[in-house]
Amino acid sequence: MTKKRRKKRALLPFRLNILFVIVFLLFSALILQLGVVQIINGEEHQAVLEQTTNDIAEISVPRGMIYDSGGNVIVGNEPVYSITYTPPKNGDPVDKRLDIATKLADIIKMEDKSTEKITEREYKEYWFLLNSEEANKRITASEKESLDDTEVYDTTLKRITEDDYKELENDEKAKQIIAIKRELDSATELVPHVIKNKDVSEREYATIAENMGDMSGINVTTDWTRNYPYDGSLQGILGGIKTGIPEGEEDYYKSRNYQLNDRIGTSGLEKEYESLLKGDKKRVRYVTDNNNNIVSQEVISEGQRGQDLQLSINMDFQKELDNIVRDELKNAINRHPGANRYLEDAMAVMLNPNTGEIYAASGQHYNRENNEYESADMNTVFSANAVGSTVKGATLLAGYQEGAVTMGAQFLDTPMIIKDTPEKSSYKNMGWINDLQALQMSSNVYMFNVALHIGGEYNQKNGESVSFDQDAFRILRNYYNQVGLGVETGVDLPSESVGYVGTTGQAGNLLDFSIGQFDTYTTMQLAQYVSTIANGGYRIKPHFVSEIHEPSNEKDKLGPLAETKSPEILNKITATDEQIERVKTGFEMVFQTTNGTASRHLTEKAKSYNIAGKTGTAQTSKNGTDLENWTLIGYADADNPEIAFAIMVPNLGIISGGQQYPITYNIANSALEYYYEHTAPEEEEK
């Protein structure tokens, strides 16, 4: 026994020694590894810890401004208080954004329209954040295994019902939080995003400034918003801007370096000249560490606000034209409410026929539902209607060029009867008349003969069928297109209507076509057409912008000239100078002779301007009531045109005795008088 105990005692120190050796080796390996980390790779790991990232953020600058021809601001930038959110690199997690939104909702009040447009999905997402455990129970584990994260989330949202979130719809605080969070969610990392910049109160501004430390990324600053000193006049043509890339145009704008929270022109001149108005963005370099904390920031380019546009529009003339058109529309409706129960619109365009510069463009609309008169200036390029006899100058030019009629040729103006077609006639039987008289007195029958001759029919006899080449429609349209009817005018707006093109091909349709009662046209097309006649045959693009200027350092002052918009000739019509002069003579007779259809409606003042042009009436109907579209085109003076005009009033009622309220003539008389008394260049005043 003693020997066995001695043997066991001898083995114990040996085992302990082995254990000590193992421990020693482990510690040695650990110390060696630490040495490698600290001595050999220390600098490398320290560099990783201290590693930073440089990011360049581009920040929007104020847009360029818009001035009228006299240098008056039409669209400006007004400084305002602004509350912004700048997300860190890689953004804030959703729970943090919710926390920020909740805190902000105790301080600021969003616009009503922000809370009114809350979607069903936004309500569901907010309910999900507040009730995530309950929401997650609505999808099984097996479903989660077969779906990716996005599909799991979408499926969960679908299973949130209206009963779940309906209380939120009446919870003003919740709606404020959702509206604020919407703005936070749309922000781009490192780029200030405007949460609110309209009607920010001093209390809101001060409270945010005091509590910015509790809301990461929130700041108060000054921003800008568009202001319109002329109370919305020309608003449709000037256009609007919107924060955010328009839906469906993401690829277009992102390829041009736009960000999700940029302000972008969405209509009118704001959209057409977006590339000039947007300016060059401010560029800031942010240095962030591995935890996405901003270490430092540096402005590497201050950027430059957008270039300024100067229009050919004279805003005094524009406002006066708005008043004239609106007052005449009111007069027509108020004086003859029964006959004019379908009358709602009146449009007018005034421009320089030699350069295409638009001096004023007005569209006025009567909203019968609200009993209010509204500006609708975009109707001058979008509202297309049958225009009646104003096209007869173009019909004659087509006839001359096709050899269908010669200058001075006579036709007998008497009712024309074609088999299986209603009787076609002028408003009276004029007897034998020539081409000038046909314009002067607005003969339909003369134009019918021109159209039939273009189609190859020279032997039309009353009561019989006619045989004509269907290509006559195409031929006539081609000549109309040359002067601007039925094609884009090229006006400097994002889009315009070209009107309706008739598709049927009966003989009666060809006759209607020749007197402006088949295809439809806009007021701007009529203005281009009459300008083409006035200037001797050159179809020129109408345009609102005349000059582009660099930004100025002086408030509301135009800066250095960057570009002048020169007249752009689209085509020279194929008619000879003699043929064009022949039509111009006929146009003079319309206004300047006793038998002219416009002469009895001119004031003595207007007669002194030596106007030339054409009247137009197109029959139409609504709900069984006979109506007429009235148009009037012209230029002055006839010998040396400096201003052209086109006026359109659709759905004018017929008063007892077959008369109408002379709305187009009243507009022309007043507008021309104002132009010559207040706007025309001094050396050309009448």
Side-chain angles (χ1 to χ4, degrees), residues 303-316:
Q304 186 178 51
R305 77 168 179 85
Q307 292 178 303
D308 296 330
L309 307 180
Q310 184 169 24
L311 309 187
S312 52
I313 293 282
N314 178 295
M315 283 307 292
D316 289 337

Side-chain angles (χ1 to χ4, degrees), residues 236-253:
I237 285 168
L238 294 172
I241 62 173
K242 176 185 176 183
T243 299
I245 295 175
E247 186 176 352
E249 299 182 55
E250 291 82 3
D251 292 342
Y252 173 85
Y253 283 103

Side-chain angles (χ1 to χ4, degrees), residues 140-164:
T140 66
S142 59
E143 286 178 314
K144 292 180 180 179
E145 290 179 0
S146 62
L147 302 173
D148 62 29
D149 291 344
T150 300
E151 291 171 331
V152 168
Y153 182 67
D154 288 340
T155 302
T156 304
L157 289 184
K158 287 179 182 178
R159 293 177 184 176
I160 297 173
T161 67
E162 185 177 357
D163 287 338
D164 292 322

Side-chain angles (χ1 to χ4, degrees), residues 398-645:
Y400 294 152
Q401 294 170 86
E402 283 295 302
V405 63
T406 57
M407 289 183 287
Q410 292 188 334
F411 289 113
L412 178 63
D413 187 309
T414 189
M416 183 178 287
I417 302 172
I418 299 174
K419 186 178 180 180
D420 299 326
T421 298
E423 179 180 288
K424 300 288 187 180
S425 65
S426 302
Y427 62 91
K428 67 176 183 178
N429 295 342
M430 302 178 188
W432 286 98
I433 56 173
N434 63 23
D435 50 342
L436 294 180
Q437 293 169 312
L439 289 177
Q440 175 195 34
M441 297 185 289
S442 200
S443 168
N444 290 342
V445 174
Y446 197 99
M447 302 304 155
F448 295 159
N449 280 285
V450 172
L452 289 175
H453 287 191
I454 289 175
E457 174 59 87
Y458 284 83
N459 299 305
Q460 187 273 330
K461 294 181 180 179
N462 276 350
E464 297 183 1
S465 299
V466 298
S467 176
F468 70 96
D469 189 343
Q470 289 286 324
D471 203 38
F473 285 97
R474 181 193 61 80
I475 292 171
L476 204 50
R477 281 198 182 96
N478 284 345
Y479 287 115
Y480 282 10
N481 292 169
Q482 284 188 33
V483 295
L485 298 174
V487 291
E488 290 186 350
T489 65
V491 65
D492 51 346
L493 291 170
S495 60
E496 60 175 316
S497 171
V498 296
Y500 166 80
V501 176
T503 56
T504 53
Q506 303 301 315
N509 299 137
L510 180 64
L511 304 188
D512 290 339
F513 187 23
S514 70
I515 61 170
Q517 299 197 139
F518 192 51
D519 288 3
T520 65
Y521 312 109
T522 68
T523 313
M524 192 64 72
Q525 287 175 319
L526 287 180
Q528 186 179 64
Y529 155 53
V530 74
S531 293
T532 303
I533 302 297
N535 67 36
Y538 295 93
R539 186 165 77 96
I540 299 174
K541 274 188 179 183
H543 57 94
F544 291 95
V545 175
S546 59
E547 293 180 347
I548 298 165
H549 290 257
E550 298 295 347
S552 172
N553 293 325
E554 295 185 62
K555 179 177 172 58
D556 297 343
K557 297 291 183 181
L558 283 164
L561 179 65
E563 180 184 348
T564 298
K565 304 288 282 188
S566 300
E568 185 173 346
I569 298 172
L570 297 174
N571 61 270
K572 171 72 165 68
I573 66 176
T574 52
T576 66
D577 291 345
E578 185 181 10
Q579 291 166 346
I580 296 170
E581 287 301 319
R582 185 76 175 176
V583 170
K584 291 177 72 172
T585 299
F587 276 13
E588 285 185 60
M589 293 170 66
V590 170
F591 280 84
Q592 303 300 326
T593 64
T594 302
N595 289 332
T597 54
S599 62
R600 69 187 179 91
H601 294 290
L602 291 184
T603 63
E604 289 302 316
K605 192 76 172 177
K607 288 179 181 178
S608 70
Y609 306 139
N610 192 24
I611 309 170
K614 188 71 187 74
T615 60
T617 304
Q619 282 69 46
T620 184
S621 65
K622 199 164 188 177
N623 296 328
T625 301
D626 290 335
L627 304 168
E628 293 181 343
N629 298 340
W630 272 33
T631 54
L632 185 66
I633 59 174
Y635 51 88
D637 73 28
D639 299 325
N640 185 26
E642 65 180 74
I643 187 168
F645 61 87

Side-chain angles (χ1 to χ4, degrees), residues 64-267:
M65 302 200 297
I66 303 178
Y67 295 78
D68 80 343
S69 60
N72 303 300
V73 176
I74 307 175
V75 182
N77 296 321
E78 180 181 358
V80 292
Y81 284 145
S82 178
I83 300 168
T84 65
Y85 167 63
T86 306
K89 184 176 173 60
N90 298 326
D92 279 323
V94 64
D95 57 339
K96 187 171 182 179
R97 296 198 300 274
L98 177 61
D99 179 62
I100 295 171
T102 303
K103 291 177 179 177
L104 279 176
D106 290 328
I107 303 172
I108 67 174
K109 184 180 186 303
M110 300 294 282
E111 288 184 86
D112 289 341
K113 65 180 181 181
S114 295
T115 56
E116 289 169 358
K117 67 179 183 180
I118 294 175
T119 64
E120 178 186 31
R121 184 180 178 90
E122 287 177 322
Y123 278 121
K124 287 184 175 183
E125 287 178 336
Y126 182 62
W127 187 90
F128 176 88
L129 291 173
L130 299 181
N131 304 274
S132 56
E133 290 187 12
E134 169 64 23
N136 286 328
K137 292 177 182 178
R138 301 188 181 185
I139 185 167
T140 66
S142 59
E143 286 178 314
K144 292 180 180 179
E145 290 179 0
S146 62
L147 302 173
D148 62 29
D149 291 344
T150 300
E151 291 171 331
V152 168
Y153 182 67
D154 288 340
T155 302
T156 304
L157 289 184
K158 287 179 182 178
R159 293 177 184 176
I160 297 173
T161 67
E162 185 177 357
D163 287 338
D164 292 322
Y165 66 79
K166 64 181 179 181
E167 291 184 1
L168 298 176
E169 296 176 331
N170 298 317
D171 186 337
E172 289 302 318
K173 174 69 177 294
K175 290 164 70 173
Q176 288 289 318
I177 294 172
I178 294 170
I180 294 170
K181 184 176 175 295
R182 179 196 300 135
E183 297 299 330
L184 303 183
D185 292 343
S186 62
T188 302
E189 63 179 42
L190 302 177
V191 177
H193 176 82
V194 174
I195 298 171
K196 180 180 180 182
N197 67 353
K198 185 176 181 181
D199 298 328
V200 176
S201 69
E202 292 186 4
R203 184 195 65 80
E204 288 176 332
Y205 188 93
T207 305
I208 293 291
E210 292 173 2
N211 294 276
M212 287 192 301
D214 296 331
M215 296 174 287
S216 176
I218 298 299
N219 193 16
V220 285
T221 183
T222 54
D223 192 26
W224 57 271
T225 187
R226 282 308 214 194
N227 71 315
Y228 304 90
Y230 286 88
D231 299 325
S233 183
L234 210 68
Q235 184 62 59
I237 285 168
L238 294 172
I241 62 173
K242 176 185 176 183
T243 299
I245 295 175
E247 186 176 352
E249 299 182 55
E250 291 82 3
D251 292 342
Y252 173 85
Y253 283 103
K254 286 181 179 178
S255 67
R256 287 159 177 77
N257 201 34
Y258 280 80
Q259 295 169 338
L260 293 176
N261 60 349
D262 281 346
R263 277 171 275 196
I264 301 170
T266 55
S267 61

